[in-house]
Amino acid sequence: MTLRVLITSGPTREPLDPVRYLTNASSGAMGFALAAEARRRGAKVTVVCGPVSLPAPKGVRVIPVVTALQMHRETLRRSRGADIVIGAAAVSDWRPAGFSSKKLKRSPSSVSLTLVPNPDIIKDAAARRVPGQVFVGFALETHRAAAYARQKLVRKGLDLVVANGPATLASGSIRATLVSRDGLKRLANAPKPRVARAILDEASRLLERRTA
């Protein structure tokens, strides 16, 4: 039976006006590395991807989106059909409460923005899980990454959380800790394709346990 893998990747953009938006720094490299590795293993891979400039891995279906609400909709539409769901996207936690159809002009006075929370995509997908699925999240933190990852594991109903720091955003390498209910597995600083292999090894191990 062909393994089915669903991955979110890249940033989201939350528009303020026709030319400005809120976003997170993300190249999509980690998500695409995961997609390429899963495809190499023979999986059927779909990536719901925010705006990136990287070429998509060969043999991978990419669903392009821009905003967090779009990514939420497209991910939940497909999540129940996947064996492994990986939330590797850098989703904006908030979006502007309103959108100006005209460019906001410069002003000498200060400007206040009202932000509203975006949905938690991987948490909502995990809440709709069907038996046998494995859900993987990421925890990008500036400090105490492993501790926060443990909290996310429980709070979001995940099976595995990849904890890492912001220095990896602009780098081809990543130093990560894999956090599951079995404990911690610290990975040496390594290129993202190598880290992708370790993540999928662990996700596959958890999947075998779920389906045994």
Side-chain angles (χ1 to χ4, degrees):
M1 183 175 176
T2 302
L3 186 70
R4 299 159 299 174
V5 179
L6 176 65
I7 301 169
T8 67
S9 185
T12 63
R13 292 177 179 175
E14 313 303 327
L16 293 164
D17 65 19
V19 297
R20 299 184 181 91
Y21 53 82
L22 300 177
T23 192
N24 283 339
S26 173
S27 66
M30 189 69 246
F32 277 9
L34 287 160
E37 176 61 21
R39 185 69 188 92
R40 188 188 69 79
R41 298 180 185 208
K44 180 180 180 181
V45 185
T46 299
V47 181
V48 180
C49 190
V52 298
S53 58
L54 296 175
K58 290 183 179 180
V60 171
R61 184 186 182 192
V62 175
I63 310 297
V65 297
V66 177
T67 68
L69 291 178
Q70 292 169 353
M71 185 174 284
H72 183 267
R73 181 181 66 246
E74 297 298 335
T75 301
L76 264 62
R77 182 178 291 173
R78 295 166 173 81
S79 63
R80 285 190 168 185
D83 299 299
I84 298 174
V85 181
I86 305 176
V91 182
S92 177
D93 291 330
W94 302 279
R95 67 183 184 274
F99 172 77
S100 173
S101 61
K102 296 181 180 180
K103 179 183 175 183
L104 298 170
K105 295 298 185 182
R106 181 190 296 273
S107 169
S109 58
S110 61
V111 175
S112 296
L113 291 176
T114 300
L115 303 177
V116 296
N118 272 321
D120 190 321
I121 296 172
I122 193 68
K123 179 181 179 181
D124 288 352
R128 293 161 47 89
R129 73 164 69 229
V130 295
Q133 287 185 298
V134 167
F135 285 82
V136 181
F138 276 68
L140 191 150
E141 305 290 349
T142 57
H143 63 290
R144 298 184 62 210
Y148 286 126
R150 286 193 196 94
Q151 294 174 15
K152 285 188 175 183
L153 186 81
V154 175
R155 187 175 72 252
K156 299 188 179 189
L158 305 179
D159 304 289
L160 179 66
V161 175
V162 183
N164 61 294
T168 62
L169 289 172
S171 171
S173 299
I174 178 173
R175 185 186 301 277
T177 300
L178 306 185
V179 180
S180 70
R181 286 171 175 77
D182 297 333
L184 304 179
K185 182 180 293 185
R186 299 189 187 279
L187 306 179
N189 189 56
K192 290 178 179 178
R194 189 182 304 171
V195 174
R197 290 196 292 272
I199 293 169
L200 283 167
D201 283 346
E202 187 67 11
S204 297
R205 183 186 69 81
L206 294 170
L207 183 66
E208 288 175 5
R209 180 188 296 176
R210 282 286 177 92
T211 55

